[in-house]
Amino acid sequence: MTPLLHVDGVGRRFGELTALDDVSLTIAAGGRHAVIGPNGAGKTTLLNLVAGTLPATAGRIVFDGRDITAMPVRARARLGIGRTWQHPAVFDRLPVATNLALAHHHAAGCTDHPTRWPHRNRPIDCVQELAGDAGLAEHRSTPAGSLSYGTRRRLEVAMALAAQPRLLLLDEPTAGLTAAEIDTLTRVLADLPDRTAVLLVDHHIDFVSAVADTITVLHHGAHITTGAPEQVRAHDDVRRVYLATDAGGQTETRPRDDTVPADGARPVLTVEGLRAGYHGAPVINQISLQLGAGQVVAVVGRSGAGKTTLINTIAGLHPARSGQITVDDTTVTDAGPRRRQQAGLSLVPQGRHLFKNLTVAEHLRVPQPARRQTSTPLSAADIYELFPTLAGRRRHRPGQLSGGEQQMLAMARALVGKPRALLLDEPSEGLAPTVIDDLARLITDLSTQHEVAVLLAEQNLPLALRVADQLCVLHEGAIALRTTPAAVAADPHLLEGYLGAAAVTTPEPAA
């Protein structure tokens, strides 16, 4: 039987950098194939070659018996290749129903294969069906930009499915999703028609094992192994370079200081009675926090609980309806983002938001607002000491970096001005397990050695438990529980009522 997709010895170079080298894989109609590997392994590059957004510099790509190696993106889409992206690509200003209607309209105009909507002339019915299948029925009139990150991700997947693709390419579909949302996505993919093949890239190994019947592992652009999930997870090289299961266990947790801030110490960041929302609807309500120098507070909660709204309101990207925000002795509630930076507040946003045309070195030379307090900015040498991986990437642009390197660059850019308080919004999103280990060590070093106060919004509960002094659980826009990693270790069920049993794992006892 002719395979649906055959990737034969493909390669891709960016100047002197080899992103992919002689990679091959085959997917049958209805197959479920995952590609995993450390950040920088070439996974997204492979998806881009199949989708046509990047040309291959070597090898051949065959789809349904047709050589598509030189075929443009639109022609591949007409053949039935659909995709999602690392960060949700939706029309933020348009309602959910309009996003789905546009996706359906595009699909109805493609007639190159017979699996399109049979009732293409009834778009309203199709949109209702798509919204219902994706659990978006109650959001049909909501602008996509007002949805939580996880819900926007579900919308993007629904838009890709509107074309009823023969091959669906998914790039980090679980990034930013809660455990419950990952379970929902798993069911959605399981319910796809047998004729629809899936090629996905993801770092959530349990999700990958549940969805895929075959897994290919890449490392530094080269093929390591391909096999069934259980075979791949037991492979020695995979465990060493990707799963980090032979390194003697989990990275040590940080020294704990459960008082935030320490008794008698002046807080670096104070948030009192903060309220904010969108389009007249409240999202966060009466939030109060205090962070001292060198302390880490993690804000956790289900998707839509208000974590990103809280971070963006503190950073000045979203207006507060009431309450007060103070950095050291400076009240910044009514100030813009620039003045908040001058006061010592810095943000690493979800999705990184790097300048695609600037190199690493140029990102670190972007002028920073002058600090009002006396503070010497970090030099390039200081930054490269903190982020040694970036030192060898000075001339690379974000598109030439792995996801982990992009996250490190976003953090490095935020630290150039030597902030007093650092806001991190979902920093582990899309990172491999080994890179999350590096991220945990970096957050710990910033707080313990550089005395930076860190406010962390994070879906990855194990990471939050490893690095935080205190956890604040957001539920329906309010802090429902303040606790510590030690308390969660003593009572593994403590967070289940707020996060769901699937999201809660038993952490290692705090050091």
Side-chain angles (χ1 to χ4, degrees):
M1 185 172 110
T2 302
L4 180 66
L5 176 71
H6 180 54
V7 176
D8 183 18
V10 298
R12 172 67 196 188
R13 294 182 62 84
F14 296 93
E16 297 179 357
L17 174 68
T18 300
L20 274 182
D21 184 22
D22 193 24
V23 172
S24 299
L25 59 83
T26 298
I27 305 177
R32 303 288 188 266
H33 198 116
V35 180
I36 67 173
N39 291 94
K43 305 181 299 296
T44 294
T45 299
L46 177 60
L47 286 193
N48 288 337
L49 296 184
V50 175
T53 51
L54 278 177
T57 52
R60 195 168 66 114
I61 302 171
V62 179
F63 183 74
D64 197 19
R66 182 183 301 188
D67 190 330
I68 63 170
T69 311
M71 189 176 288
V73 174
R74 181 175 178 83
R76 300 188 198 204
R78 291 181 66 87
L79 290 177
I81 298 178
R83 76 167 299 174
T84 66
W85 303 82
Q86 280 194 354
H87 304 291
V90 299
F91 300 101
D92 283 346
R93 296 184 181 182
L94 299 181
V96 165
T98 305
N99 273 272
L100 294 173
L102 287 171
H104 171 264
H105 176 74
H106 171 75
C110 293
T111 57
D112 289 20
H113 68 84
T115 63
R116 302 292 174 178
W117 292 95
H119 45 299
R120 70 180 64 178
N121 294 324
R122 302 204 307 272
I124 293 178
D125 294 340
C126 297
V127 167
Q128 289 177 340
E129 184 178 337
L130 284 165
D133 290 345
L136 297 169
E138 63 182 280
H139 298 296
R140 282 181 296 178
S141 300
T142 305
S146 299
L147 301 173
S148 69
Y149 188 86
T151 307
R152 292 207 309 279
R153 174 72 70 183
R154 279 190 283 144
L155 171 59
E156 185 194 32
V157 172
M159 291 171 67
L161 292 175
Q164 295 188 335
R166 301 169 70 192
L167 174 64
L168 179 61
L169 309 177
L170 299 174
D171 197 355
E172 302 289 356
T174 69
L177 299 190
T178 64
E181 289 171 330
I182 292 172
D183 288 342
T184 299
L185 178 60
T186 302
R187 290 193 296 271
V188 167
L189 296 182
D191 291 339
L192 287 176
D194 291 340
R195 63 178 176 266
T196 302
V198 175
L199 176 60
L200 70 94
V201 165
D202 207 281
H203 285 300
H204 195 297
I205 191 64
D206 291 333
F207 166 77
V208 166
S209 298
V211 170
D213 47 51
T214 305
I215 298 176
T216 290
V217 186
L218 302 180
H219 183 46
H220 291 317
H223 176 267
I224 292 181
T225 188
T226 293
E230 61 273 12
Q231 295 172 320
V232 168
R233 294 183 76 154
H235 194 285
D236 288 343
D237 288 340
V238 176
R239 293 166 65 87
R240 175 178 55 83
V241 303
Y242 181 64
L243 299 177
T245 56
D246 65 345
Q250 187 185 53
T251 302
E252 291 186 4
T253 53
R254 58 178 270 113
R256 304 292 180 184
D257 183 355
D258 294 341
T259 58
V260 182
D263 292 339
R266 183 183 68 180
V268 170
L269 174 64
T270 303
V271 177
E272 296 178 306
L274 194 64
R275 295 176 64 248
Y278 302 91
H279 308 291
V283 175
I284 56 173
N285 185 40
Q286 295 296 322
I287 300 292
S288 295
L289 296 165
Q290 281 193 342
L291 282 77
Q295 293 175 316
V296 180
V297 174
V299 179
V300 299
R302 296 178 187 266
S303 181
K307 301 185 297 297
T308 292
T309 299
L310 173 62
I311 292 290
N312 286 342
T313 304
I314 295 173
L317 301 181
H318 188 74
R321 291 182 178 175
S322 63
Q324 184 167 291
I325 304 167
T326 304
V327 182
D328 289 325
D329 293 326
T330 303
T331 299
V332 297
T333 315
D334 298 321
R338 181 178 180 84
R339 188 179 159 210
R340 297 188 195 209
Q341 273 194 293
Q342 292 173 332
L345 196 60
S346 196
L347 167 69
V348 180
Q350 185 177 27
R352 299 153 193 158
H353 294 280
L354 300 170
F355 301 105
K356 66 178 183 179
N357 292 323
L358 297 186
T359 65
V360 167
E362 289 167 342
H363 272 86
L364 302 182
R365 290 200 299 267
V366 172
Q368 298 287 318
R371 284 279 303 278
R372 296 192 175 194
Q373 289 84 7
T374 302
S375 178
T376 303
L378 294 178
S379 67
D382 295 329
I383 291 293
Y384 292 133
E385 184 176 349
L386 275 172
F387 303 91
T389 301
L390 297 180
R393 301 283 191 267
R394 287 178 173 89
R395 297 182 180 180
H396 289 77
R397 292 179 172 83
Q400 298 170 295
L401 303 178
S402 70
E405 291 166 346
Q406 290 178 23
Q407 187 62 52
M408 295 301 139
L409 176 56
M411 293 183 68
R413 180 182 60 181
L415 292 170
V416 168
K418 203 172 183 179
R420 294 276 288 146
L422 182 65
L423 308 176
L424 298 177
D425 193 5
E426 302 290 355
S428 75
E429 180 183 290
L431 300 188
T434 50
V435 180
I436 291 177
D437 284 344
D438 294 337
L439 177 65
R441 285 189 287 269
L442 177 61
I443 293 173
T444 298
D445 288 348
L446 288 174
S447 58
T448 58
Q449 297 179 25
H450 297 268
E451 296 191 331
V452 177
V454 178
L455 180 61
L456 168 71
E458 182 56 71
Q459 288 287 17
N460 187 328
L461 182 62
L463 172 63
L465 292 169
R466 285 171 61 182
V467 303
D469 297 299
Q470 186 184 78
L471 273 74
C472 294
V473 182
L474 277 189
H475 181 65
E476 296 181 351
I479 295 179
L481 177 69
R482 298 176 195 267
T483 188
T484 64
V488 177
D491 181 4
H493 302 290
L494 181 63
L495 303 180
E496 282 187 8
Y498 305 103
L499 305 182
V504 178
T505 57
T506 304
E508 295 291 329

